Amino acid sequence: MIIIGEKINGAIPSTAKAIAAKDGEFIKNLAKIQTEAGVDYIDVCASVDDDIELETMKWLIDLVQEVTDTPIAVDSPNVYTCIESMKFCNKPGLFNSVSLEGDKIDAAFKAIADTKWECVALLNSDKGIPKTAKDRLDVFADLMAKVKEYGIDPSRMHIDPLVEMLCTSEDGIAMVVEVIRSIKEQYPTIHVTGAVSNISFNLPARKMVNMGFTVLAMNAGLDSAILDPTNGDLMGIIFATEALLGEDDYCMEYIGAYREGIFGQKK
């Protein structure tokens, strides 16, 4: 599982407060604890007004890179902010994100095509969020045509099937599971990602729902996720599920993560 640490995001109240107060130590600590939890990328999302977003992204990225060499996921709904933020990073990371809305995908793919940057792509378009698995897979087909056009290897893509609130779903996660499985069948090397916590919005005991979803989604083919890596129970579930799916020979990764204190007893 590719873990994308979610905690440096201005949509989180405590992080928003730190950004507003320019509390650099708070941000650096978030980078440190996520690195210690073993993340593959540290997501950086300012979630501030447009006129100060880019300068805030640079401030945040600089702080993260002071304390860790973990690659950055540059995260903004504004594709041009992501493109400019790439320049602040010391090494290739994750572009978060593109979609088929407007010219987003062309602008982004021109920027990353000849680099080692990976990219999150959402399965929505100018028509909004597709309501059926077929419609999402139609968007996926159009998206992959663009991937081919720009010569991007599918293994660099992280496809977000659009994880939505469970409490408004009529069929649980059946549609998302169908989309994940179809994507992986068509492109075995592609990554499927998503914001795990989206599933539990407006529900009590959200962590329980998040963990249940993670197991079922991983069984369908989810192999990348945006989540809180400091949640030891969730991390333990991920390592356990990988072992149960036969993706961890002799449970060595599971045992190693336990010994490092990523889940279970803390060192």
Coordinates of all heavy atoms in Angstrom, one line a residue, residues 66-105:
E66 N 12.6 20.8 5.4 CA 13.6 21.0 6.4 C 13.8 19.8 7.3 O 14.9 19.6 7.8 CB 13.2 22.2 7.3 CG 13.5 23.6 6.7 CD 13.1 24.7 7.7 OE1 13.3 24.5 8.9 OE2 12.7 25.8 7.2
V67 N 12.8 19.0 7.4 CA 12.8 17.9 8.4 C 12.7 16.5 7.8 O 12.9 15.5 8.5 CB 11.7 18.1 9.5 CG1 12.0 19.4 10.3 CG2 10.3 18.1 8.9
T68 N 12.4 16.4 6.5 CA 12.3 15.1 5.9 C 12.6 15.1 4.4 O 12.4 16.2 3.8 CB 10.9 14.5 6.2 OG1 10.8 13.2 5.6 CG2 9.8 15.3 5.5
D69 N 13.1 14.0 3.9 CA 13.2 13.9 2.4 C 12.1 13.1 1.8 O 12.2 12.7 0.6 CB 14.6 13.4 2.1 CG 14.9 12.0 2.6 OD1 14.0 11.4 3.3 OD2 15.9 11.4 2.3
T70 N 11.1 12.8 2.6 CA 9.9 12.1 2.0 C 9.3 13.0 0.9 O 9.1 14.2 1.0 CB 8.8 11.9 3.1 OG1 9.4 11.1 4.1 CG2 7.6 11.1 2.5
P71 N 9.0 12.4 -0.3 CA 8.4 13.1 -1.4 C 7.1 13.8 -1.0 O 6.4 13.3 -0.2 CB 8.2 12.1 -2.5 CG 9.2 11.0 -2.1 CD 9.2 10.9 -0.6
I72 N 6.9 14.9 -1.7 CA 5.7 15.8 -1.4 C 4.6 15.4 -2.4 O 4.9 15.2 -3.6 CB 6.1 17.3 -1.6 CG1 7.2 17.7 -0.7 CG2 4.8 18.1 -1.4 CD1 6.9 17.7 0.8
A73 N 3.4 15.4 -1.9 CA 2.2 15.4 -2.8 C 1.7 16.8 -2.8 O 1.2 17.3 -1.8 CB 1.1 14.4 -2.3
V74 N 1.8 17.5 -3.9 CA 1.3 18.9 -4.1 C -0.2 18.8 -4.3 O -0.6 18.2 -5.3 CB 2.1 19.7 -5.2 CG1 3.5 19.9 -4.8 CG2 2.0 19.0 -6.5
D75 N -1.0 19.4 -3.5 CA -2.4 19.2 -3.4 C -3.2 20.5 -3.5 O -3.0 21.4 -2.6 CB -2.8 18.4 -2.2 CG -4.2 18.0 -2.1 OD1 -5.0 18.5 -2.9 OD2 -4.6 17.3 -1.2
S76 N -3.9 20.7 -4.6 CA -4.8 21.9 -4.7 C -5.9 21.6 -5.7 O -5.6 20.9 -6.7 CB -4.0 23.1 -5.1 OG -4.8 24.2 -5.5
P77 N -7.1 22.2 -5.6 CA -8.1 22.1 -6.6 C -7.7 22.9 -7.9 O -8.3 22.7 -8.9 CB -9.3 22.6 -6.0 CG -8.8 23.5 -4.9 CD -7.6 22.9 -4.4
N78 N -6.7 23.8 -7.7 CA -6.2 24.6 -8.8 C -5.0 23.9 -9.4 O -3.9 23.9 -8.8 CB -5.9 26.0 -8.3 CG -5.5 27.0 -9.4 OD1 -4.9 26.5 -10.4 ND2 -5.7 28.2 -9.2
V79 N -5.2 23.4 -10.6 CA -4.1 22.6 -11.2 C -2.9 23.5 -11.5 O -1.7 23.0 -11.4 CB -4.6 22.0 -12.6 CG1 -4.9 23.1 -13.6 CG2 -3.7 21.0 -13.1
Y80 N -3.0 24.8 -11.7 CA -1.9 25.6 -11.9 C -1.1 25.9 -10.6 O 0.1 26.1 -10.7 CB -2.3 26.9 -12.6 CG -2.9 26.7 -13.9 CD1 -4.3 26.7 -14.1 CD2 -2.1 26.4 -15.0 CE1 -4.9 26.4 -15.4 CE2 -2.7 26.1 -16.3 CZ -4.1 26.1 -16.4 OH -4.6 25.8 -17.7
T81 N -1.8 25.9 -9.5 CA -1.1 25.9 -8.2 C -0.2 24.7 -8.0 O 1.0 24.8 -7.6 CB -2.0 26.0 -7.0 OG1 -2.7 27.3 -7.1 CG2 -1.3 26.0 -5.7
C82 N -0.7 23.5 -8.4 CA 0.1 22.3 -8.3 C 1.3 22.4 -9.2 O 2.4 22.0 -8.9 CB -0.8 21.1 -8.7 SG -2.0 20.7 -7.5
I83 N 1.1 22.9 -10.5 CA 2.2 23.0 -11.4 C 3.3 23.9 -10.9 O 4.5 23.5 -10.9 CB 1.7 23.5 -12.8 CG1 0.8 22.4 -13.4 CG2 2.8 23.9 -13.7 CD1 0.0 22.9 -14.7
E84 N 2.9 25.0 -10.4 CA 3.9 25.9 -9.8 C 4.6 25.4 -8.5 O 5.8 25.6 -8.3 CB 3.3 27.3 -9.5 CG 2.9 28.1 -10.8 CD 4.1 28.3 -11.7 OE1 5.1 28.8 -11.2 OE2 4.0 28.1 -12.9
S85 N 3.8 24.7 -7.7 CA 4.3 24.1 -6.5 C 5.4 23.0 -6.7 O 6.2 22.7 -5.9 CB 3.2 23.6 -5.6 OG 2.3 24.6 -5.2
M86 N 5.3 22.3 -7.9 CA 6.3 21.3 -8.2 C 7.7 21.9 -8.2 O 8.6 21.2 -7.8 CB 6.0 20.8 -9.6 CG 4.8 19.9 -9.8 SD 4.4 19.6 -11.6 CE 5.9 18.8 -12.1
K87 N 7.8 23.2 -8.5 CA 9.1 23.8 -8.6 C 9.7 24.0 -7.2 O 11.0 24.2 -7.1 CB 9.0 25.2 -9.3 CG 8.4 25.2 -10.7 CD 8.1 26.5 -11.2 CE 7.5 26.5 -12.6 NZ 7.1 27.8 -13.1
F88 N 8.9 24.0 -6.2 CA 9.5 24.1 -4.8 C 10.0 22.8 -4.2 O 10.6 22.8 -3.2 CB 8.4 24.7 -3.9 CG 7.7 25.9 -4.4 CD1 6.3 26.1 -4.2 CD2 8.4 26.9 -5.1 CE1 5.6 27.2 -4.7 CE2 7.7 28.0 -5.5 CZ 6.3 28.2 -5.3
C89 N 9.7 21.7 -4.9 CA 10.1 20.4 -4.3 C 11.5 20.0 -4.8 O 11.9 20.1 -5.9 CB 9.0 19.4 -4.8 SG 7.4 19.7 -4.3
N90 N 12.2 19.3 -3.8 CA 13.5 18.9 -4.1 C 13.6 17.7 -4.9 O 14.7 17.3 -5.4 CB 14.2 18.6 -2.7 CG 14.4 19.9 -1.9 OD1 14.5 21.0 -2.5 ND2 14.5 19.8 -0.6
K91 N 12.5 16.9 -5.0 CA 12.6 15.7 -5.8 C 11.2 15.4 -6.4 O 10.2 16.0 -5.9 CB 13.0 14.5 -4.9 CG 12.0 14.2 -3.8 CD 12.4 12.9 -3.0 CE 13.7 13.0 -2.4 NZ 14.0 11.8 -1.5
P92 N 11.0 14.6 -7.4 CA 9.7 14.3 -7.9 C 8.8 13.7 -6.8 O 9.2 12.9 -5.9 CB 10.0 13.2 -9.0 CG 11.4 13.5 -9.4 CD 12.1 13.9 -8.1
G93 N 7.5 14.1 -6.9 CA 6.5 13.6 -5.9 C 5.3 13.2 -6.6 O 5.3 12.5 -7.6
L94 N 4.1 13.6 -6.0 CA 2.8 13.2 -6.5 C 2.0 14.5 -6.8 O 1.9 15.3 -5.9 CB 2.1 12.4 -5.4 CG 0.7 11.8 -5.7 CD1 0.8 10.8 -6.9 CD2 0.1 11.1 -4.5
F95 N 1.4 14.5 -8.0 CA 0.6 15.7 -8.4 C -0.8 15.3 -8.0 O -1.4 14.4 -8.5 CB 0.8 15.8 -9.9 CG 0.2 17.1 -10.5 CD1 1.1 18.1 -10.9 CD2 -1.2 17.3 -10.6 CE1 0.6 19.3 -11.5 CE2 -1.7 18.4 -11.2 CZ -0.8 19.4 -11.6
N96 N -1.4 16.1 -7.1 CA -2.7 15.8 -6.6 C -3.7 17.0 -6.7 O -3.7 17.9 -5.9 CB -2.6 15.4 -5.1 CG -3.9 14.9 -4.5 OD1 -4.8 14.6 -5.2 ND2 -3.9 14.8 -3.2
S97 N -4.5 17.1 -7.8 CA -4.8 16.0 -8.7 C -5.3 16.6 -10.0 O -5.3 17.8 -10.2 CB -6.0 15.2 -8.1 OG -7.1 16.1 -7.9
V98 N -5.7 15.7 -11.0 CA -6.2 16.2 -12.2 C -7.6 15.5 -12.4 O -8.0 14.6 -11.7 CB -5.3 15.8 -13.4 CG1 -4.0 16.4 -13.3 CG2 -5.2 14.3 -13.6
S99 N -8.4 16.0 -13.4 CA -9.6 15.3 -13.8 C -9.9 15.8 -15.2 O -9.1 16.5 -15.8 CB -10.8 15.8 -12.9 OG -11.1 17.1 -13.1
L100 N -11.0 15.3 -15.7 CA -11.4 15.7 -17.1 C -12.2 17.0 -17.1 O -12.9 17.3 -18.1 CB -12.1 14.6 -17.8 CG -11.3 13.4 -18.2 CD1 -12.1 12.3 -18.9 CD2 -10.1 13.8 -19.1
E101 N -12.2 17.8 -16.0 CA -12.9 19.1 -16.0 C -12.0 20.1 -16.7 O -10.8 20.3 -16.4 CB -13.1 19.5 -14.5 CG -14.0 18.7 -13.7 CD -14.2 19.2 -12.3 OE1 -13.1 19.5 -11.7 OE2 -15.3 19.2 -11.8
G102 N -12.6 20.8 -17.7 CA -11.9 21.8 -18.4 C -10.6 21.4 -19.0 O -10.6 20.3 -19.6
D103 N -9.6 22.2 -18.9 CA -8.3 21.9 -19.4 C -7.3 21.3 -18.4 O -6.1 21.3 -18.7 CB -7.7 23.1 -20.1 CG -7.3 24.2 -19.2 OD1 -7.7 24.1 -18.0 OD2 -6.6 25.2 -19.6
K104 N -7.8 20.9 -17.3 CA -6.9 20.5 -16.2 C -5.9 19.4 -16.6 O -4.7 19.5 -16.3 CB -7.8 20.0 -15.0 CG -8.5 21.1 -14.2 CD -9.2 20.4 -13.0 CE -9.8 21.5 -12.1 NZ -10.5 20.9 -10.9
I105 N -6.4 18.4 -17.2 CA -5.6 17.3 -17.5 C -4.5 17.6 -18.5 O -3.4 17.2 -18.4 CB -6.4 16.1 -18.0 CG1 -5.6 14.8 -17.8 CG2 -6.9 16.2 -19.4 CD1 -6.5 13.5 -17.8

